Amino acid sequence: MKKDNKKVIYWLLTGCVLIFIMVVVGGITRLTDSGLSISNYKLITGTIPPLNNAEWEEAFNLYQQYPEFQKLHSHFTIEDFKSIYFWEWLHRLIGRVIGLVFIIPFLYFLATKQLNKSTIKKCLVLLILGGFQGFLGWYMVKSGLVDMPDVSHFRLAAHLTTAFLTFAATLWVALDLYFPNRKTINKSFKKLIIVSYIILIIQIIYGAFVAGLKAGLLHNHWPLMNDNKFIHHTVYVLDPFYKNLIENPSGIQFIHRTLAYLVVISISVLWLRARKLSLTTLQSKGINTLLVLVGFQFLLGVLTIIYAVPLWLGVAHQIGAFFLLSAMTFALHRFSK
């Protein structure tokens, strides 16, 4: 690591930590059904929550105009509303903080010429990703304000996956600066990591589908689904068949729980292949960490299904996915340059 890069690396890693916190709070927001509690978007004034009874009444009256209150929460008192409002407000607040933490130091580093051309280009990509992530958040919320009191699981998946990828990209740029020297790499092994990375991303997308359709509340058994079946008949009830892969909660849960085995197998293969290679200390630690994390994540997934997604397990499972993606990003980087 070059001394001149220290501040920039700390800045990027701070962004990674904030994105992690935002994903955790986003998971709590989703699991507590808080995401539709704020039905408008005010970039500046929305930073401050209601501060008195009149403002709370105004916010509650606005919430009552939309499907979630009318179809699901018509029994809510203003105190009930305050409890879900808090998580969505906090989620949005962290998003604003991330924007400021990224943009202000970026302009400072740019003005003081602490970024080379390559890093500037990468940071501009991060800026675009962050802005797109914010847009997808509001785009997702809008889908739950029309007819049904649920957001589109496609938009939820896009929002969550972009958050994960923004984190991974930010971590990658930080690693580029921390490890500036290139080295000889094993290209065939790198390709194996890329395949595992893609499988993990697909699994994360299906995890978001499960969350959006509340598919985790179905088939709360393991290793088999309901009626002691590996593939329950409800997995393939929709016509045409492809809809079972993207719209049927039962089918989506089946894919998610099956992909979990594929993620474990792919990382296990990586670990076994790595044992035959001459690795650096960091490469070895990266692969070993992947094996440990995927074991924990698989266990969390099983427990989350068995116990029908209690809040703490649902959040822990999402955090596990975040750590696993972090380790995968680090491992890929160590075999990339």
Side-chain angles (χ1 to χ4, degrees):
M1 177 177 62
K2 296 180 180 178
K3 186 177 179 181
D4 295 344
N5 287 336
K6 275 189 176 182
K7 292 180 182 178
V8 179
I9 293 170
Y10 291 150
W11 162 59
L12 291 169
L13 292 179
T14 299
C16 288
V17 171
L18 286 172
I19 294 172
F20 167 72
I21 294 171
M22 188 174 185
V23 168
V24 172
V25 172
I28 296 173
T29 301
R30 171 178 49 79
L31 290 168
T32 55
D33 289 327
S34 303
L36 297 175
S37 57
I38 304 177
S39 46
N40 57 15
Y41 188 81
K42 298 178 180 178
L43 181 60
I44 305 301
T45 57
T47 305
I48 303 173
L51 299 176
N52 54 52
N53 290 337
E55 291 179 357
W56 275 116
E57 287 289 350
E58 181 182 354
F60 189 40
N61 288 337
L62 181 63
Y63 175 68
Q64 291 174 323
Q65 298 174 24
Y66 291 94
E68 183 172 81
F69 175 83
Q70 295 166 357
K71 297 182 179 182
L72 291 180
H73 294 162
S74 57
H75 62 285
F76 262 30
T77 66
I78 196 166
E79 294 303 318
D80 297 321
F81 171 68
K82 287 179 181 180
S83 66
I84 63 170
Y85 185 100
F86 168 77
W87 289 112
E88 176 64 10
W89 169 80
L90 182 61
H91 187 53
R92 296 190 186 193
L93 178 65
I94 296 170
R96 292 178 173 94
V97 170
I98 290 174
L100 292 175
V101 166
F102 187 85
I103 292 172
I104 294 174
F106 175 64
L107 294 176
Y108 167 76
F109 291 134
L110 204 58
T112 54
K113 298 182 179 179
Q114 296 186 52
L115 304 174
N116 59 38
K117 289 184 179 179
S118 175
T119 304
I120 290 172
K121 290 178 182 178
K122 293 171 186 175
C123 288
L124 288 174
V125 172
L126 296 180
L127 182 61
I128 292 170
L129 279 173
F132 185 56
Q133 166 68 5
F135 163 76
L136 284 175
W138 177 237
Y139 184 62
M140 176 188 69
V141 168
K142 284 183 67 177
S143 66
L145 301 176
V146 185
D147 299 313
M148 299 300 295
D150 291 300
V151 300
S152 161
H153 66 289
F154 295 115
R155 298 188 189 186
L156 172 63
H159 182 53
L160 180 64
T161 306
T162 305
F164 274 75
L165 293 179
T166 302
F167 167 86
T170 306
L171 178 60
W172 190 275
V173 177
L175 291 172
D176 275 349
L177 295 173
Y178 194 87
F179 301 105
N181 298 323
R182 293 187 176 274
K183 62 183 182 300
T184 303
I185 59 170
N186 186 310
K187 292 184 179 179
S188 63
F189 190 75
K190 177 185 174 181
K191 289 178 181 177
L192 278 178
I193 299 178
I194 291 173
V195 170
S196 296
Y197 204 111
I198 292 171
I199 294 171
L200 179 59
I201 293 297
I202 295 172
Q203 175 69 324
I204 288 170
I205 292 171
Y206 266 91
F209 284 171
V210 168
L213 292 174
K214 294 182 172 59
L217 302 178
L218 307 172
H219 308 292
N220 300 116
H221 309 278
W222 187 85
L224 302 176
M225 302 179 82
N226 286 358
D227 303 324
N228 291 318
K229 293 182 178 179
F230 179 68
I231 303 179
H232 195 261
H233 68 87
T234 54
V235 167
Y236 44 85
V237 292
L238 297 185
D239 188 41
F241 177 78
Y242 78 88
K243 288 190 174 182
N244 293 291
L245 308 179
I246 57 175
E247 294 182 11
N248 177 2
S250 189
I252 283 171
Q253 196 210 95
F254 172 76
I255 293 173
H256 188 55
R257 63 198 289 161
T258 305
L259 275 175
Y261 294 108
L262 191 55
V263 172
V264 172
I265 292 170
S266 67
I267 291 176
S268 298
V269 169
L270 281 178
W271 184 79
L272 290 171
R273 286 288 301 273
R275 295 184 68 188
K276 301 177 182 179
L277 303 177
S278 177
L279 306 180
T280 66
T281 300
L282 287 177
Q283 287 175 334
S284 181
K285 286 182 177 179
I287 297 299
N288 288 337
T289 300
L290 272 177
L291 188 67
V292 172
L293 286 177
V294 78
F296 275 116
Q297 178 64 352
F298 187 87
L299 176 61
L300 283 172
V302 171
L303 293 175
T304 302
I305 282 292
I306 291 175
Y307 290 102
V309 201
L311 176 61
W312 72 273
L313 263 177
V315 173
H317 189 47
Q318 186 162 299
I319 291 173
F322 203 97
F323 284 162
L324 189 56
L325 182 70
S326 303
M328 188 73 81
T329 302
F330 179 83
L332 179 58
H333 191 276
R334 288 298 74 223
F335 283 91
S336 295
K337 61 180 298 186

